[in-house]
Structures are given as C-alpha cells and as structure tokens.
Amino acid sequence: MIQNYKVFFLLGFAFLLTSISMLSQDRKIDSLKEIVETGIKDTAMVATLNHLGMELLYQGKIDESMEFSKRASDLATELSYVKGKALSLKQIGNANYYKGNYLEVLDYWTQSLENYEFIKDSIGISNILSNLGILYFSQGSNARAIDYLLRSLRIAQKSKHPLRISTALLNIAMVYGDNPQDWDKALNYYEQALPYLKIINDPANSKAYYFGVGEIEYAKGNYQTALDYFEEGLTITENTIYYSQNLLLLGKTKFKLGELEESLILLKESYSNAVKDDNLLVKVKCLIELGIVYQNNDFDKAIETYREAEELALSQKLNYELAQIYEGISQSYVNSGDFKNGYRYQAKYLSQKDSIFNIETDDKMRGLQFDFDLLKKEDEIGLLEKEAQIQDLKDRRQRNVIFASGIALVLIGLLALSLYRRYKFSKETNLIIETEKNRSESLLLNILPEETAKELKEKGRVKAKSFKSVSVIFADFVGFTAYAKSLQPAELVSSVDYYFSKFDEIMEKYGIEKIKTIGDAYMAVGGLPDPDPNHVSKIIGAAFEIIEFINEIKESDSKEHHIFEIRIGINTGPIVAGVVGTKKFAYDIWGDTVNVASRMESSSLPGKINVSESTYELIKDDYECEYRGEIHVKNKGMMKMYFVNSKKDSNE
C-alpha cells in the first residue's frame, strides 16, 4: 500500500472520505448479506452485491470485498447490465490497488473504462481516467498521470459536475506540487478549484486545498503563510480522520517558527488522535517530529521517541520514515557525544535510503501538451476509422455481388457484360481494401511493437508485461524552451520532426523500440518486446550515431533547420510495459529504471552520453568511460555516473 497522503486523497475512495462507526457498518453489511442470500437475479441484486463489496472495503476486508464484487460482475454480465458491470470492475480494481497488485488494477480499471465508454457515462469515465492517472503517479510516472488527469478534467467540465471538476483540479495540483519547478502551476490549479469547493462544501476536497497550498508554502520556507492555511483547515477536519494530520502539520510548522512549547502541545495532541483513529502512519510521523523537537534540549528523550517510531515503522515496512528515523537517531547520538552509536545509525540511515523506491520522473509533463505530439496521436484515432472503412468496402462488395447475380438471372442476355463489370469492380475493391489494410497495419506498427499489435488485434486489449533487463535511453534538446519562444510554430514543428525522424531511422537500424516523444525529449528502449542479450551495446551504438548526426548538422552550412545541442542519458534494469485504453491508446513503459534513465539525461552535458553504474558495469570492457564521481540525484541521493567517450580498440 502506498503510504502517501496525496495518493490516498487522489484516488478518492469513499472509505477514506467518510467517518462511519464500525457498529453501523456491521449492521449494514449483515442486512446486505441477508438480501444476497435470497438468490434473486436482477439488476437490483447487482447493485446490492456492489454495495456490499464497497461496505466490506470500508472495513478493510479486501478479499471478501473482491469476492462479492466479482459476483456482481458475473451477474451483470449474465443480465447484460453494463453500468453494474462497470462499477463492479472498478471496485475489483480498487481492492487490488490496496493489495499492491498494480498490473491487475490496470487491467480491471481499463475494462471498467471500456464499459463506461460503451454507455457514455461521462461521470464514470472521468472517475476511471482520474484513477488511472493516479495509478501512474503512484508508480512514479507524473507525466502520464497529468495526461490522464487532464482528460478527466475536460470530461468533468463538459458535464458541469462540480465535485468531479474540483477533484480533478486538486489532483492535478497535487501532482504538479510534487516538482518544485511546477509549484506555481500547482498553486494556479488550487486556485481554480476554490470556487467549486464553495459550491459543493465537501470536507475532503476542502481539506486537500488547505493542506496542499500549505505544504507548498511550507516547502518554500513561507512558514507563517503555511500556518495560516493549516489553521483554516482545522475547522474542516475536526471530528474527521484528517484531524490528527492537520495537528501534525501545525505542530511541525510551529517548530519552524521557533514556538517550541506550542509545537510540542500540537504534536502530542496529534499523536493522541492518531492513536484513537488507529492511524499508524500519522503516529510514526508525529513521533519523528517530536524527536526533532526534543533534539533541541533532551537527546535521551529524542532517542527514546525515535526508537518508539522505529518499532512502528518496522512493523509496517515504512521505508521512507525509517530513513528519517535512523538519521534522527544518528544525529541525536552525535549531538550527545556518543559517536560510536552515531556512526552505527548513520550506516543504517544510508542503507535504508538506498532501499527507498519513491523516485519521480523529471519535469517532462508539460511536453505532453505540445501540438506536435497531439498531431501524432491523431494517427491512432485514424486506425479505428480505417478498420471501419475496410468493413464498409467489404459490405458494399457483397451487396453488389448479390445484385449482379440477380440481374444475371433476369437478364441472361447481359450476362457477359454483368460478369465483366463485377470482375472489374471486385478487382478495384480488393485493391482499395488491400491498400487501406496495409496502411492501417503500417500505422499500427509505427505505434506498437509487432507482437503487441498482434495481441491487440486478436484480443482487443494488451496485458502489461514485466521485462527483467532492458536499456532505456532519453535524448533531450538543450535550451529547447528558450528556442521555442523565438521560433514560429511551423518552423519549430518542422525542425523537431526532422531530428526525430532521423532518430527513428537510427533506432530501427539497431532494433531498438521507440516508446514516445515528450515535447523535446525522445525516449526509446532496447531489449523489448523480444529479449536481446546485446541490447546494451546496441543502445550505446545508437547514442553515438545520434551525437554524430547532431555534429554533422552543426558542421554543415545548411540553415534549413534550427541547430540544437543534445543531452543523452542511459540506464539498464527491469521495467513494466503495456497499453492502456481502447481509444488514443499508446504503448508505454514505467518503473524505477525509466526514472533513473531520465535522471541520467538531466544530469548529462551537451554532446555527452551519461550512463548509470548499472549500465557502466555491462559496457566497461568494450567502451572508454569517464567516471564523473557521485552526483546528487533528486529523491535518489548520490549516484555514480559515467560519460561514455568512445569504443575501446579491439587490440587492447
């Protein structure tokens, strides 16, 4: 389970937004089970089964919830009740999310989306798109998350649904708030949500607004402004499960303002409320903040508090919090003069830090909105249209064959002429069908790997797959945003298309799969869809050809296209790949390997190929590499990096 307040809110599951007594829930569940036992098979029973699955999820009975939701799905299928089917598939996905089965979540939510699209339920579509966006966010793909959340927002705005609009705006704001470079954009989306919050008067969404803005101001160091927002949230969160979190935020902010006594009072009150609500995560965070406060005047108390937090964090495998705890214990021992234990816990801190799996993608999400990429996606829609045209041509041919046969029976004298016309028409129609089919096949293979395209045509959807070892390459134009402001749109698109078309040729030459372009960034992967033991050397070779191509452009006298510098980053490791949706579908990959590859690119220099330690270990015998030392990478810490300068002489 993702231990992150933002992700909990973003999913918007009902049991996180309500406060219902356990006794009341038990009575409701018993009542619903009595109805289910009647065995009636109608749409009302589908609704009852779905309701029962949801109530069980409220209580955290995930397996039992999934069982009744699947029964609802089966009955809805039997009754051809599409809306009930869509809801049951969504709830099965919800249950799998809390079990950590993210590939299953992707599959069930995609099926739910297909059903909502079939009945044109705009609210259901908006909700599932939002959930899919947050699934990508939880896996570290902020760019894909923004893409889905913006689609959810557009549908909600078209439906004029205040709750869905405000939720989408707040979700987008929280994802943007994850990157300091996008804080201003996040605050803008928060402010867009404010008028809708006044209309719907929903405590959960209002809490998200005050917490979200307050946390950004806190991160900026504007502690008094942050305090004002957190205090506004108190009246909203009182008597809810969010109250202990609100007190925690107030306590840590008071500490930053130097009000130590008030900070201690608020943090202790937060801890008491967290104990009452059985909110383990807030309990651990409160103990960490109390340890920080105690470090100012009572090292023994600080260590004792951190140790209590450590026991709770270990029981739930809260890796991020454990890193904070070990760092705090280490510092407390050092401050008290116990350097031996300080060193011991410093080693634990460094080890724990290396195990944290919470890396976010670089700031590439805004590139998804470029007209260039949007034009590319239009080709995907065209695939479905071409299939319909082919079927129409087949139907027309069949009708004309029957018509021609009927005429031949009545007008025997015109038999020869009729046969000739039918032959000519059939030949022309077959030529059109073959041409359009080949074009559709070509378009599909330009978007998806051949194996994936075949699976999509045969089954209507593609299951996500895991790959143990691939090499991911990111290539990004240096200073592209500044150039884009000074160039005409047609000139900008033409130049980018010229460069990326050449990159496509290079990738095809080396058998490397292009994944997508994200604004001015180009992303590809070697070693899928078919495993390739030489994927590392191939992707290094492709990188050198890209650098060589850029250098040739710089040395030429042609002024037809704008000259850009290029940065390249490469990382090797495991990933997950798949296709989401039935319209505007795209083949994509995600995982820590992708995130680190993006970091390698952003940490590279113009004209250089920057690789991670995992890639370096695989190529060091064949290529001359320059060790750059350990460089700090956001959310990852210090990482070893290497420039790949040239291929080693074969005689060495």
Side-chain angles (χ1 to χ4, degrees):
M1 184 185 298
I2 302 297
Q3 299 291 352
N4 185 302
Y5 294 117
K6 293 179 180 178
V7 174
F8 280 154
F9 168 74
L10 287 162
L11 283 166
F13 295 158
F15 65 95
L16 293 174
L17 304 181
T18 57
S19 180
I20 305 173
S21 73
M22 193 66 73
L23 179 60
S24 174
Q25 283 184 319
D26 288 338
R27 289 173 178 171
K28 186 179 293 186
I29 288 172
D30 290 340
S31 176
L32 290 170
K33 284 184 176 179
E34 288 178 5
I35 298 173
V36 169
E37 288 173 1
T38 63
I40 299 172
K41 292 187 176 183
D42 56 15
T43 57
M45 180 60 74
V46 175
T48 301
L49 287 165
N50 276 326
H51 193 178
L52 180 55
M54 183 173 61
E55 292 292 338
L56 289 165
L57 204 56
Y58 287 167
Q59 290 194 358
K61 299 177 180 179
I62 299 172
D63 290 332
E64 193 176 359
S65 169
M66 193 180 301
E67 175 190 344
F68 283 102
S69 294
K70 286 181 177 178
R71 287 176 60 181
S73 176
D74 292 340
L75 181 56
T77 301
E78 182 180 342
L79 299 173
S80 299
Y81 181 31
V82 181
K83 187 170 185 177
K85 175 82 170 179
L87 179 58
S88 62
L89 290 168
K90 171 189 167 184
Q91 290 190 170
I92 297 170
N94 293 353
N96 274 290
Y97 186 93
Y98 284 94
K99 289 173 73 72
N101 302 329
Y102 300 119
L103 295 181
E104 294 295 323
V105 175
L106 195 64
D107 186 39
Y108 281 108
W109 281 351
T110 300
Q111 292 182 58
S112 176
L113 179 61
E114 291 171 359
N115 282 271
Y116 278 126
E117 288 175 337
F118 181 79
I119 59 176
K120 298 180 180 180
D121 185 334
S122 57
I123 303 305
I125 294 170
S126 177
N127 179 245
I128 292 295
L129 287 171
S130 179
N131 280 8
L132 285 168
I134 301 316
L135 177 61
Y136 278 107
F137 177 58
S138 72
Q139 296 301 299
S141 182
N142 290 17
R144 291 288 290 169
I146 287 294
D147 187 27
Y148 277 94
L149 292 171
L150 286 173
R151 287 167 61 189
S152 174
L153 174 61
R154 285 193 293 269
I155 293 172
Q157 289 174 329
K158 188 175 180 180
S159 304
K160 297 181 180 180
H161 194 281
L163 177 60
R164 290 245 54 87
I165 294 172
S166 66
T167 301
L169 289 167
L170 291 169
N171 288 349
I172 294 168
M174 287 187 182
V175 176
Y176 275 129
D178 206 45
N179 188 341
Q181 296 180 11
D182 288 317
W183 279 345
D184 290 339
K185 187 177 290 187
L187 291 172
N188 176 265
Y189 275 101
Y190 277 125
E191 291 308 309
Q192 290 184 52
L194 190 56
Y196 296 100
L197 296 177
K198 294 177 180 177
I199 295 173
I200 63 175
N201 191 29
D202 180 74
N205 281 18
S206 298
K207 177 275 306 182
Y209 169 79
Y210 289 112
F211 282 18
V213 177
E215 286 177 339
I216 290 177
E217 296 296 344
Y218 181 93
K220 285 182 173 181
N222 302 328
Y223 300 122
Q224 185 57 54
T225 305
L227 186 68
D228 293 339
Y229 278 98
F230 294 149
E231 288 178 339
E232 285 285 340
L234 268 184
T235 56
I236 297 169
T237 60
E238 192 171 4
N239 298 320
T240 73
I241 60 173
Y242 303 115
Y243 189 58
S244 59
Q245 183 189 352
N246 203 154
L247 293 169
L248 170 63
L249 294 171
L250 282 169
K252 62 188 290 188
T253 308
K254 285 283 189 180
F255 175 74
K256 289 292 186 180
L257 291 170
E259 301 175 23
L260 302 187
E261 289 300 323
E262 291 189 38
S263 174
L264 279 173
I265 293 171
L266 288 165
L267 291 172
K268 289 178 179 179
E269 186 180 354
S270 171
Y271 182 80
S272 297
N273 279 272
V275 171
K276 181 179 66 176
D277 295 336
D278 195 25
N279 192 330
L280 180 64
L281 184 57
V282 175
K283 285 164 63 177
V284 173
K285 287 182 176 291
C286 278
L287 291 170
I288 292 172
E289 294 301 325
L290 283 167
I292 293 171
V293 176
Y294 288 136
Q295 279 192 32
N296 285 268
N297 49 28
D298 191 339
F299 301 130
D300 291 337
K301 184 67 173 176
I303 293 170
E304 178 186 345
T305 304
Y306 279 129
R307 289 268 177 80
E308 184 180 352
E310 178 188 12
E311 183 178 349
L312 292 172
L314 284 170
S315 69
Q316 295 297 314
K317 298 181 181 179
L318 301 178
N319 292 328
Y320 179 74
E321 285 71 23
L322 276 171
Q324 291 180 291
I325 292 165
Y326 291 144
E327 183 181 27
I329 296 176
S330 174
Q331 190 61 49
S332 298
Y333 273 124
V334 170
N335 291 341
S336 66
D338 187 346
F339 296 103
K340 180 179 179 181
N341 278 317
Y343 175 78
R344 183 162 63 91
Y345 274 93
Q346 176 68 8
K348 282 191 173 186
Y349 163 66
L350 293 174
S351 175
Q352 186 63 30
K353 189 177 178 183
D354 287 340
S355 71
I356 294 174
F357 179 66
N358 190 27
I359 296 177
E360 319 299 347
T361 57
D362 200 6
D363 186 16
K364 302 295 181 182
M365 57 191 73
R366 60 175 66 92
L368 289 170
Q369 300 171 42
F370 275 7
D371 288 341
F372 178 77
D373 282 337
L374 295 178
L375 290 173
K376 291 278 188 181
K377 288 186 177 181
E378 289 178 0
D379 287 341
E380 301 169 14
I381 302 174
L383 289 173
L384 298 177
E385 295 174 347
K386 293 303 178 185
E387 291 289 344
Q389 290 176 15
I390 291 171
Q391 186 59 46
D392 182 60
L393 286 171
K394 288 181 178 179
D395 293 341
R396 285 171 53 196
R397 182 179 67 174
Q398 185 64 28
R399 287 195 300 268
N400 278 279
V401 168
I402 295 172
F403 178 75
S405 299
I407 292 295
L409 292 173
V410 177
L411 304 172
I412 191 65
L414 299 176
L415 178 60
L417 179 61
S418 298
L419 290 173
Y420 171 74
R421 288 178 175 174
R422 187 178 69 173
Y423 168 78
K424 185 178 179 180
F425 179 80
S426 297
K427 185 176 180 180
E428 292 174 349
T429 303
N430 284 331
L431 180 61
I432 293 171
I433 291 172
E434 190 64 27
T435 300
E436 292 299 328
K437 184 177 180 181
N438 290 339
R439 185 179 177 189
S440 296
E441 291 283 347
S442 177
L443 285 171
L444 191 61
L445 290 174
N446 277 336
I447 297 170
L448 304 175
E450 183 176 357
E451 179 184 343
T452 303
K454 182 178 179 181
E455 183 179 352
L456 181 64
K457 289 189 295 181
E458 291 177 352
K459 300 181 179 178
R461 75 169 68 91
V462 178
K463 283 222 170 193
K465 296 181 180 178
S466 298
F467 293 84
K468 293 183 179 180
S469 178
V470 300
S471 291
V472 180
I473 181 172
F474 275 87
D476 190 84
F477 294 127
V478 180
F480 181 82
T481 303
Y483 289 129
K485 292 180 180 178
S486 62
L487 296 176
Q488 293 297 321
E491 182 182 357
L492 177 64
V493 172
S494 176
S495 293
V496 173
D497 183 63
Y498 173 74
Y499 280 95
F500 283 174
S501 295
K502 182 61 178 179
F503 292 1
D504 288 347
E505 292 178 15
I506 294 171
M507 296 305 158
E508 184 174 3
K509 172 183 175 182
Y510 284 89
I512 297 169
E513 189 69 33
K514 173 187 175 182
I515 299 300
K516 61 184 173 182
T517 58
I518 311 172
D520 60 307
Y522 187 97
M523 176 184 175
V525 59
L528 67 74
D530 297 316
D532 183 353
N534 299 318
H535 62 79
V536 183
S537 61
K538 287 182 178 180
I539 213 156
I540 295 294
F544 274 116
E545 283 210 21
I546 290 175
I547 297 294
E548 182 180 355
F549 167 66
I550 296 296
N551 290 336
E552 288 175 357
I553 295 296
K554 291 193 298 184
E555 292 171 4
S556 69
D557 296 327
S558 173
K559 297 183 179 179
E560 183 179 355
H561 300 288
H562 193 82
I563 297 175
F564 293 107
E565 289 282 2
I566 196 83
R567 285 192 311 254
I568 294 179
I570 298 173
N571 181 42
T572 303
I575 58 94
V576 173
V579 176
V580 178
T582 57
K583 297 181 179 178
K584 294 188 177 182
F585 51 78
Y587 188 79
D588 203 1
I589 62 174
W590 63 88
D592 191 41
T593 298
V594 180
N595 300 324
V596 173
S598 176
R599 298 301 188 204
M600 291 301 106
E601 177 273 313
S602 61
S603 300
S604 187
L605 295 176
K608 289 290 190 178
I609 303 169
N610 189 38
V611 301
S612 66
E613 184 177 12
S614 62
T615 302
Y616 164 76
E617 291 297 331
L618 297 172
I619 66 170
K620 63 184 180 181
D621 294 332
D622 299 316
Y623 290 87
E624 294 289 347
C625 298
E626 175 185 349
Y627 178 53
R628 301 181 63 193
E630 292 189 340
I631 297 176
H632 185 269
V633 173
K634 177 188 170 187
N635 291 330
K636 190 67 177 177
M638 305 302 291
M639 294 189 70
K640 293 181 180 179
M641 300 183 190
Y642 303 81
F643 282 141
V644 185
N645 293 329
S646 63
K647 191 170 180 64
K648 287 185 177 180
D649 191 322
S650 59
N651 295 324
E652 290 183 2

